[in-house]
Amino acid sequence: MIDLKQLRENPESFQACLRLRGEFDLSPVLKLDQHQRELEAKRSQLQARSNEVGKQVGQKIQSGISPQDPEIQALRDEGNQVKAQLSELEPQERELKAQIEEILLTIPNLPSETTPIGKTEDENVEVSRWGDEYLPTNPNILPHWEIGEKLGILNFERSTKVAQSRFVSLIGAGAALERSLIQFMLETQIAAGYTEILPPILVNTQSLTASGQLPKFAEESFKCDRDDLWLTPTAEVPITNFYRDEIIAAEDLPIYHCAYTPCFRREAGSYGRDTRGLIRLHQFNKVELFKFVQPETSFEELETLRTDAEAILQALKLPYRVLTLCTGDLGFSSTKTYDLEVWLPSAGKYREISSCSNCTDFQGRRGNIRFKEAGKKGTQFVHTLNGSGLAVGRTMAAILENYQQPDGTVRIPEVLQPYLRREVL
RNA sequence: GGAGAGGUGGCCGAGUGGUUGAAGGCGCAGCACUGGAAAUGCUGUUUAGGGCAACUUAACGAGGGUUCGAAUCCCUCCCUCUCCGCCA
């Protein structure tokens, strides 16, 4: 959520910033805000009077004046009048506040100054490439779903029977490879200083609102209707909300967490895209990196977060590139995002395998996650960052293709061999 | 699912319808004491909104109600805990 107070103070710059992400007219919310504050001033005056009347009645009764005394009756009457006025103002103000809140929740984070300006993903900026020397030389690489089914480690058809399309089952060495990847990713990030959390993967509405998936993107998540619970679309949601409504001691920051979770996405509106393979499924595994940090450090922390995610790709020797997303392609909660894209030979292009974002205080404000410096007055919102480290299914896809041999076998990346206890699929 | 108990500040924990934003304690900060520290003593210490400010308003799980006045009384809802049942 953007800061209403700051918006009020410099509306033009907010409006200009938001325009970079697409159209969003801030004038209605500014108007509502002004009206609300006028009502608030009136209301608070009335309440002050009401408190005063109450106090006087109390004092007089205690000093021995009879409650039936005309003096007291007069005060009671005034109290009743004030109450009547308040009962008109209060609902109006509450309604205004609710409207303002509702709008604020749909306004995306403002892009950072270092976020390139652009409208679509075509204007994302490539910042680096890595691993050209590992680009496969095998000219006849099968798409990962074909080699996977040939090897008997993936099964889509039966999974459609069990659930729907866009689900997969991993069999034998495929399941073991997925587990090995998860284990390898977690252990690497734990060694890098992240504390593992294995969180709930059903989350409530408030949690999805705090991290930014709701209210705007409700159609993207699976919902358990009778329970106010949703299947989490990313571990970012439970981890952000782990500290919701808390005040963290400044010396406890930064906090680094990593988490493995299944992730669930409805992929509404993506009909016909990536219908085959492991790229776009309703359920997939992901190891997530998450940071809670002090405001001054969040952009440096984004760089190291990205490096930590890159370390996995480098260890697996998978060629990839790094993009900075342009303003038009930025996620709702993010102010600046790096995407890591891994080389997928069958497609002949790079595909997203990690997205690392600095959400600044956007989620902190929505989730009321603050920190306090000892001895200092007041609190500040924490800055949050998240990044995939990595999407496991897409990593598997990248391995099945980049490590595919001309004889139809797939080598296992060296770093995984101790986990999987084999060298070839 | 059945029965019961409970939700108060960063934490623990009092609280009779009347000046209680809330006793007491812990923690934290400052000062004193000390060569320095510990212990001790004193002082201070919730958050959020509005206002340039003085100041003012709100908040004791949430929402209603009674009252001049509600943490305190009434109603509804939510959540947590304990026991029983069921279950990995």
Side-chain angles (χ1 to χ4, degrees):
Chain A
M1 195 150 65
I2 59 170
D3 185 351
L4 182 57
K5 204 189 262 178
Q6 279 181 31
L7 166 63
R8 191 184 294 147
E9 279 158 15
N10 31 86
E12 301 83 10
S13 73
F14 267 71
Q15 184 67 73
C17 241
L18 273 181
R19 227 185 297 277
L20 298 172
R21 305 195 49 145
E23 284 306 315
F24 201 102
D25 185 8
L26 288 170
S27 52
V29 76
L30 285 164
K31 209 174 282 175
L32 289 172
D33 173 55
Q34 201 189 345
H35 190 187
Q36 185 270 323
R37 276 186 305 153
E38 286 165 11
L39 282 186
E40 174 165 346
K42 257 190 235 171
R43 192 212 67 217
S44 123
Q45 269 180 9
L46 283 171
Q47 277 172 332
R49 182 59 197 156
S50 168
N51 289 342
E52 179 59 28
V53 168
K55 204 183 269 188
Q56 282 184 19
V57 172
Q59 279 168 355
K60 285 185 197 297
I61 289 177
Q62 272 184 345
S63 73
I65 300 176
S66 155
Q68 273 70 45
D69 191 278
E71 201 183 347
I72 288 181
Q73 279 303 334
L75 283 170
R76 284 189 174 164
D77 289 345
E78 187 182 353
N80 277 323
Q81 279 173 24
V82 170
K83 196 164 42 165
Q85 287 176 279
L86 277 171
S87 66
E88 267 186 52
L89 282 184
E90 276 174 343
Q92 287 180 36
E93 197 198 340
R94 210 176 313 137
E95 172 62 23
L96 276 174
K97 276 191 159 161
Q99 283 179 23
I100 292 166
E101 172 89 359
E102 199 177 310
I103 295 175
L104 286 179
L105 283 174
T106 65
I107 299 177
N109 201 354
L110 302 180
S112 83
E113 285 167 19
T114 58
T115 297
I117 294 169
K119 283 201 170 60
T120 69
E121 59 183 356
D122 302 326
E123 288 165 272
N124 294 340
V125 174
E126 182 173 318
V127 294
S128 65
R129 276 184 198 224
W130 184 93
D132 280 359
E133 66 272 34
Y134 301 113
L135 287 168
T137 49
N138 177 2
N140 305 310
I141 292 179
L142 294 175
H144 63 273
W145 58 90
E146 283 185 24
I147 188 76
E149 294 198 308
K150 232 176 211 175
L151 291 169
I153 61 172
L154 302 181
N155 193 307
F156 292 94
E157 210 177 315
R158 286 178 174 149
S159 305
T160 303
K161 185 168 62 178
V162 172
Q164 261 186 22
S165 63
R166 291 200 192 282
F167 284 89
V168 71
S169 301
L170 305 173
I171 302 122
L177 178 55
E178 184 93 354
R179 276 189 290 112
S180 300
L181 280 167
I182 293 166
Q183 183 77 350
F184 164 68
M185 290 175 187
L186 282 173
E187 286 184 1
T188 304
Q189 302 305 354
I190 290 165
Y194 295 81
T195 302
E196 183 182 359
I197 296 185
L198 189 58
I201 54 178
L202 291 184
V203 296
N204 57 34
T205 298
Q206 215 185 333
S207 292
L208 279 167
T209 306
S211 47
Q213 281 77 15
L214 289 178
K216 269 194 118 173
F217 307 103
E219 68 289 345
E220 254 312 300
S221 291
F222 289 102
K223 181 166 194 207
C224 312
D225 232 327
R226 19 197 287 187
D227 297 302
D228 183 37
L229 288 170
W230 307 64
L231 291 169
T232 185
T234 160
E236 175 193 346
V237 179
I239 306 301
T240 311
N241 285 279
F242 201 66
Y243 297 98
R244 194 176 68 222
D245 293 319
E246 292 194 25
I247 299 174
I248 299 166
E251 62 264 30
D252 291 338
L253 296 175
I255 295 172
Y256 296 163
H257 284 303
C258 60
Y260 151 70
T261 64
C263 302
F264 302 88
R265 300 188 183 174
R266 293 192 63 240
E267 297 296 345
S270 65
Y271 309 108
R273 265 168 52 206
D274 306 312
T275 50
R276 310 199 64 184
L278 298 169
I279 299 302
R280 193 175 300 276
L281 297 173
H282 288 310
Q283 173 184 340
F284 61 95
N285 293 312
K286 183 155 61 75
V287 170
E288 185 78 357
L289 304 177
F290 205 95
K291 294 181 172 187
F292 297 87
V293 308
Q294 299 203 24
E296 311 76 55
T297 64
S298 66
F299 284 97
E300 303 157 34
E301 294 279 4
L302 177 63
E303 298 303 315
T304 52
L305 181 75
R306 186 192 85 187
T307 314
D308 291 333
E310 283 183 62
I312 303 291
L313 285 164
Q314 294 180 8
L316 292 170
K317 296 183 173 156
L318 291 169
Y320 68 92
R321 63 173 184 169
V322 182
L323 303 179
T324 309
L325 296 194
C326 73
T327 52
D329 201 27
L330 213 51
F332 182 73
S333 302
S334 175
T335 188
K336 179 173 188 179
T337 297
Y338 291 113
D339 269 9
L340 309 186
E341 295 189 334
V342 72
W343 179 248
L344 270 195
S346 75
K349 57 181 177 190
Y350 290 93
R351 289 303 303 257
E352 177 186 339
I353 198 166
S354 171
S355 193
C356 301
S357 298
N358 181 3
C359 298
T360 55
D361 60 0
F362 189 81
Q363 295 175 322
R365 188 170 286 108
R366 290 168 83 101
N368 195 28
I369 310 167
R370 294 168 292 172
F371 73 94
K372 186 178 171 66
E373 285 178 72
K376 260 199 185 174
K377 228 177 145 46
T379 59
Q380 292 181 71
F381 291 110
V382 297
H383 280 200
T384 57
L385 299 97
N386 67 81
S388 346
L390 310 163
V392 181
R394 289 186 179 186
T395 307
M396 162 105 68
I399 290 172
L400 289 178
E401 297 192 5
N402 285 287
Y403 279 79
Q404 206 178 115
Q405 306 302 300
D407 64 359
T409 61
V410 173
R411 284 193 301 118
I412 298 298
E414 275 171 43
V415 291
L416 289 181
Q417 289 175 11
Y419 295 89
L420 199 58
R421 294 188 296 275
R422 57 196 289 175
E423 294 172 14
V424 172
L425 289 180

